[in-house]
Amino acid sequence: TQLEAINQQLQSQPNSVLKAKALQNLGVTLQNVGAFSASLSVLEQSLSIAQQIGVAVDTGPSANSTSTAANSTVASTVLLALGRTWQGLSDVDQALSFYEQASASATTPLNQVNARLSQLGLLISTDQRSAAQTLLAKIRMQLPALPASRSAVYAYVNFVQSWMQLSPKASSLEMMQILSTAVDQAEQLK
């Protein structure tokens, strides 16, 4: 298939942040078409490259903080994608583990919130209510730190949807305030 051809082309490229990111995108695409085993393999390779490059940059005599941050961001987003792939493979424990790793390694508040929202959704869908309540409170505290962006607007909406699933009788006023913030940000971004 065309995706296999792309993977073959990527294999001939030298390891770099660009290759790690391209493999991540390919892994997510494979995930989206339901090819979870192939996605897992490609994402693991992407993570390995991101970590190798990160170590090389971090320990080098002239460490470049921009490169280090880029590698960390790639690693965090690949960990999130691996969590989603494991979730697609119905391995809840592996998925939760990767979501936690993605959250812990996130270099931006938005990446951390997105990892936690994925974790929250899985906790809710597997009826782990206590853990979900704890995580919901953590995410709620992080929302004000999100910079205005389309991704932040989606995060606000995702958060309220999860909150409604977890606690249908929760304060609708608070939920409306959060959604109002999302609407304000969306209007600013026009």
Side-chain angles (χ1 to χ4, degrees), residues 21-84:
K21 189 69 179 158
L23 287 168
Q24 175 199 349
N25 290 335
L26 176 60
V28 169
T29 301
L30 289 164
Q31 183 186 99
N32 290 337
V33 299
F36 295 110
S37 295
S39 171
L40 188 62
S41 174
V42 170
L43 289 170
E44 286 174 342
Q45 183 183 6
S46 173
L47 180 62
S48 175
I49 291 169
Q51 289 172 334
Q52 288 171 6
I53 293 170
V55 169
V57 172
D58 288 340
T59 59
S62 59
N64 180 327
S65 63
T66 303
S67 295
T68 302
N71 295 342
S72 297
T73 299
V74 170
S76 175
T77 56
V78 172
L79 288 165
L80 178 59
L82 279 163
R84 290 178 177 153

